[in-house]
PDB file of all heavy atoms in Angstrom:
ATOM      1  N   VAL A 178       5.199 -29.799  -5.863  1.00  0.00           N
ATOM      2  CA  VAL A 178       3.800 -29.394  -5.994  1.00  0.00           C
ATOM      3  C   VAL A 178       3.718 -27.890  -6.225  1.00  0.00           C
ATOM      4  O   VAL A 178       4.160 -27.090  -5.402  1.00  0.00           O
ATOM      5  CB  VAL A 178       2.984 -29.781  -4.742  1.00  0.00           C
ATOM      6  CG1 VAL A 178       1.541 -29.329  -4.885  1.00  0.00           C
ATOM      7  CG2 VAL A 178       3.044 -31.277  -4.510  1.00  0.00           C
ATOM      8  N   LYS A 179       3.188 -27.533  -7.382  1.00  0.00           N
ATOM      9  CA  LYS A 179       2.985 -26.141  -7.749  1.00  0.00           C
ATOM     10  C   LYS A 179       1.855 -26.105  -8.770  1.00  0.00           C
ATOM     11  O   LYS A 179       1.756 -26.994  -9.613  1.00  0.00           O
ATOM     12  CB  LYS A 179       4.257 -25.548  -8.368  1.00  0.00           C
ATOM     13  CG  LYS A 179       4.152 -24.078  -8.708  1.00  0.00           C
ATOM     14  CD  LYS A 179       5.469 -23.538  -9.254  1.00  0.00           C
ATOM     15  CE  LYS A 179       5.321 -22.074  -9.609  1.00  0.00           C
ATOM     16  NZ  LYS A 179       6.549 -21.551 -10.199  1.00  0.00           N
ATOM     17  N   PHE A 180       1.005 -25.100  -8.668  1.00  0.00           N
ATOM     18  CA  PHE A 180      -0.126 -24.997  -9.575  1.00  0.00           C
ATOM     19  C   PHE A 180       0.050 -23.826 -10.533  1.00  0.00           C
ATOM     20  O   PHE A 180       0.625 -22.804 -10.176  1.00  0.00           O
ATOM     21  CB  PHE A 180      -1.435 -24.832  -8.787  1.00  0.00           C
ATOM     22  CG  PHE A 180      -1.757 -26.035  -7.954  1.00  0.00           C
ATOM     23  CD1 PHE A 180      -1.418 -26.087  -6.612  1.00  0.00           C
ATOM     24  CD2 PHE A 180      -2.374 -27.140  -8.522  1.00  0.00           C
ATOM     25  CE1 PHE A 180      -1.694 -27.209  -5.850  1.00  0.00           C
ATOM     26  CE2 PHE A 180      -2.662 -28.267  -7.771  1.00  0.00           C
ATOM     27  CZ  PHE A 180      -2.312 -28.304  -6.427  1.00  0.00           C
ATOM     28  N   GLN A 181      -0.453 -23.996 -11.754  1.00  0.00           N
ATOM     29  CA  GLN A 181      -0.383 -22.940 -12.757  1.00  0.00           C
ATOM     30  C   GLN A 181      -1.216 -21.746 -12.310  1.00  0.00           C
ATOM     31  O   GLN A 181      -2.273 -21.910 -11.724  1.00  0.00           O
ATOM     32  CB  GLN A 181      -0.919 -23.431 -14.105  1.00  0.00           C
ATOM     33  CG  GLN A 181      -0.069 -24.469 -14.759  1.00  0.00           C
ATOM     34  CD  GLN A 181      -0.654 -24.925 -16.091  1.00  0.00           C
ATOM     35  OE1 GLN A 181      -1.665 -24.407 -16.560  1.00  0.00           O
ATOM     36  NE2 GLN A 181       0.001 -25.892 -16.712  1.00  0.00           N
ATOM     37  N   GLU A 182      -0.733 -20.558 -12.594  1.00  0.00           N
ATOM     38  CA  GLU A 182      -1.432 -19.336 -12.210  1.00  0.00           C
ATOM     39  C   GLU A 182      -2.285 -18.790 -13.347  1.00  0.00           C
ATOM     40  O   GLU A 182      -2.577 -17.613 -13.403  1.00  0.00           O
ATOM     41  CB  GLU A 182      -0.418 -18.299 -11.720  1.00  0.00           C
ATOM     42  CG  GLU A 182       0.296 -18.736 -10.464  1.00  0.00           C
ATOM     43  CD  GLU A 182       1.329 -17.746  -9.977  1.00  0.00           C
ATOM     44  OE1 GLU A 182       1.465 -16.653 -10.574  1.00  0.00           O
ATOM     45  OE2 GLU A 182       2.026 -18.070  -9.008  1.00  0.00           O
ATOM     46  N   ARG A 183      -2.717 -19.647 -14.232  1.00  0.00           N
ATOM     47  CA  ARG A 183      -3.600 -19.260 -15.340  1.00  0.00           C
ATOM     48  C   ARG A 183      -5.013 -19.073 -14.798  1.00  0.00           C
ATOM     49  O   ARG A 183      -5.534 -19.904 -14.074  1.00  0.00           O
ATOM     50  CB  ARG A 183      -3.602 -20.345 -16.407  1.00  0.00           C
ATOM     51  CG  ARG A 183      -4.424 -19.989 -17.637  1.00  0.00           C
ATOM     52  CD  ARG A 183      -4.569 -21.176 -18.577  1.00  0.00           C
ATOM     53  NE  ARG A 183      -5.355 -22.261 -17.990  1.00  0.00           N
ATOM     54  CZ  ARG A 183      -6.686 -22.297 -17.924  1.00  0.00           C
ATOM     55  NH1 ARG A 183      -7.394 -21.290 -18.394  1.00  0.00           N
ATOM     56  NH2 ARG A 183      -7.309 -23.320 -17.392  1.00  0.00           N
ATOM     57  N   PHE A 184      -5.636 -17.963 -15.146  1.00  0.00           N
ATOM     58  CA  PHE A 184      -6.986 -17.649 -14.687  1.00  0.00           C
ATOM     59  C   PHE A 184      -8.010 -18.412 -15.532  1.00  0.00           C
ATOM     60  O   PHE A 184      -8.105 -18.188 -16.744  1.00  0.00           O
ATOM     61  CB  PHE A 184      -7.236 -16.142 -14.776  1.00  0.00           C
ATOM     62  CG  PHE A 184      -8.546 -15.709 -14.206  1.00  0.00           C
ATOM     63  CD1 PHE A 184      -8.745 -15.662 -12.835  1.00  0.00           C
ATOM     64  CD2 PHE A 184      -9.587 -15.340 -15.038  1.00  0.00           C
ATOM     65  CE1 PHE A 184      -9.958 -15.263 -12.300  1.00  0.00           C
ATOM     66  CE2 PHE A 184     -10.801 -14.929 -14.522  1.00  0.00           C
ATOM     67  CZ  PHE A 184     -10.987 -14.894 -13.148  1.00  0.00           C
ATOM     68  N   PRO A 185      -8.778 -19.322 -14.914  1.00  0.00           N
ATOM     69  CA  PRO A 185      -9.763 -20.092 -15.682  1.00  0.00           C
ATOM     70  C   PRO A 185     -10.924 -19.212 -16.163  1.00  0.00           C
ATOM     71  O   PRO A 185     -11.449 -18.396 -15.405  1.00  0.00           O
ATOM     72  CB  PRO A 185     -10.285 -21.129 -14.691  1.00  0.00           C
ATOM     73  CG  PRO A 185      -9.347 -21.097 -13.531  1.00  0.00           C
ATOM     74  CD  PRO A 185      -8.710 -19.751 -13.525  1.00  0.00           C
ATOM     75  N   SER A 186     -11.313 -19.391 -17.403  1.00  0.00           N
ATOM     76  CA  SER A 186     -12.416 -18.596 -17.948  1.00  0.00           C
ATOM     77  C   SER A 186     -13.716 -18.833 -17.187  1.00  0.00           C
ATOM     78  O   SER A 186     -14.572 -17.956 -17.135  1.00  0.00           O
ATOM     79  CB  SER A 186     -12.606 -18.910 -19.436  1.00  0.00           C
ATOM     80  OG  SER A 186     -12.902 -20.288 -19.616  1.00  0.00           O
ATOM     81  N   GLU A 187     -13.862 -20.006 -16.554  1.00  0.00           N
ATOM     82  CA  GLU A 187     -15.068 -20.317 -15.780  1.00  0.00           C
ATOM     83  C   GLU A 187     -15.249 -19.374 -14.589  1.00  0.00           C
ATOM     84  O   GLU A 187     -16.353 -19.239 -14.067  1.00  0.00           O
ATOM     85  CB  GLU A 187     -15.033 -21.766 -15.259  1.00  0.00           C
ATOM     86  CG  GLU A 187     -15.018 -22.820 -16.335  1.00  0.00           C
ATOM     87  CD  GLU A 187     -13.601 -23.214 -16.763  1.00  0.00           C
ATOM     88  OE1 GLU A 187     -12.638 -22.509 -16.417  1.00  0.00           O
ATOM     89  OE2 GLU A 187     -13.475 -24.217 -17.468  1.00  0.00           O
ATOM     90  N   LEU A 188     -14.169 -18.736 -14.164  1.00  0.00           N
ATOM     91  CA  LEU A 188     -14.240 -17.846 -13.003  1.00  0.00           C
ATOM     92  C   LEU A 188     -14.449 -16.386 -13.380  1.00  0.00           C
ATOM     93  O   LEU A 188     -14.592 -15.536 -12.503  1.00  0.00           O
ATOM     94  CB  LEU A 188     -12.979 -17.980 -12.147  1.00  0.00           C
ATOM     95  CG  LEU A 188     -12.774 -19.341 -11.501  1.00  0.00           C
ATOM     96  CD1 LEU A 188     -11.483 -19.364 -10.693  1.00  0.00           C
ATOM     97  CD2 LEU A 188     -13.961 -19.710 -10.637  1.00  0.00           C
ATOM     98  N   GLN A 189     -14.466 -16.112 -14.675  1.00  0.00           N
ATOM     99  CA  GLN A 189     -14.691 -14.734 -15.142  1.00  0.00           C
ATOM    100  C   GLN A 189     -16.011 -14.212 -14.581  1.00  0.00           C
ATOM    101  O   GLN A 189     -17.049 -14.841 -14.707  1.00  0.00           O
ATOM    102  CB  GLN A 189     -14.722 -14.707 -16.672  1.00  0.00           C
ATOM    103  CG  GLN A 189     -14.744 -13.334 -17.262  1.00  0.00           C
ATOM    104  CD  GLN A 189     -13.419 -12.614 -17.076  1.00  0.00           C
ATOM    105  OE1 GLN A 189     -12.369 -13.213 -17.101  1.00  0.00           O
ATOM    106  NE2 GLN A 189     -13.495 -11.333 -16.865  1.00  0.00           N
ATOM    107  N   GLY A 190     -15.961 -13.081 -13.920  1.00  0.00           N
ATOM    108  CA  GLY A 190     -17.159 -12.480 -13.345  1.00  0.00           C
ATOM    109  C   GLY A 190     -17.545 -13.041 -11.991  1.00  0.00           C
ATOM    110  O   GLY A 190     -18.492 -12.577 -11.361  1.00  0.00           O
ATOM    111  N   ARG A 191     -16.818 -14.062 -11.513  1.00  0.00           N
ATOM    112  CA  ARG A 191     -17.115 -14.669 -10.210  1.00  0.00           C
ATOM    113  C   ARG A 191     -16.105 -14.266  -9.144  1.00  0.00           C
ATOM    114  O   ARG A 191     -16.420 -14.191  -7.976  1.00  0.00           O
ATOM    115  CB  ARG A 191     -17.136 -16.193 -10.311  1.00  0.00           C
ATOM    116  CG  ARG A 191     -18.269 -16.735 -11.161  1.00  0.00           C
ATOM    117  CD  ARG A 191     -18.148 -18.246 -11.251  1.00  0.00           C
ATOM    118  NE  ARG A 191     -19.229 -18.823 -12.015  1.00  0.00           N
ATOM    119  CZ  ARG A 191     -20.268 -19.439 -11.480  1.00  0.00           C
ATOM    120  NH1 ARG A 191     -20.366 -19.568 -10.180  1.00  0.00           N
ATOM    121  NH2 ARG A 191     -21.206 -19.943 -12.258  1.00  0.00           N
ATOM    122  N   ILE A 192     -14.850 -14.040  -9.574  1.00  0.00           N
ATOM    123  CA  ILE A 192     -13.779 -13.651  -8.657  1.00  0.00           C
ATOM    124  C   ILE A 192     -12.818 -12.762  -9.432  1.00  0.00           C
ATOM    125  O   ILE A 192     -12.617 -12.947 -10.636  1.00  0.00           O
ATOM    126  CB  ILE A 192     -13.051 -14.887  -8.057  1.00  0.00           C
ATOM    127  CG1 ILE A 192     -12.015 -14.474  -7.011  1.00  0.00           C
ATOM    128  CG2 ILE A 192     -12.428 -15.726  -9.143  1.00  0.00           C
ATOM    129  CD1 ILE A 192     -11.395 -15.648  -6.264  1.00  0.00           C
ATOM    130  N   ASP A 193     -12.230 -11.808  -8.754  1.00  0.00           N
ATOM    131  CA  ASP A 193     -11.251 -10.918  -9.367  1.00  0.00           C
ATOM    132  C   ASP A 193     -10.002 -11.710  -9.755  1.00  0.00           C
ATOM    133  O   ASP A 193      -9.523 -12.544  -8.984  1.00  0.00           O
ATOM    134  CB  ASP A 193     -10.890  -9.804  -8.370  1.00  0.00           C
ATOM    135  CG  ASP A 193      -9.873  -8.850  -8.928  1.00  0.00           C
ATOM    136  OD1 ASP A 193     -10.221  -8.085  -9.848  1.00  0.00           O
ATOM    137  OD2 ASP A 193      -8.720  -8.884  -8.438  1.00  0.00           O
TER     138      ASP A 193
END
Side-chain angles (χ1 to χ4, degrees):
V178 179
K179 183 177 179 183
F180 295 96
Q181 292 180 4
E182 296 178 4
R183 184 189 66 80
F184 186 74
S186 60
E187 297 90 347
L188 295 179
Q189 188 70 34
R191 294 177 178 257
I192 185 173
D193 179 70

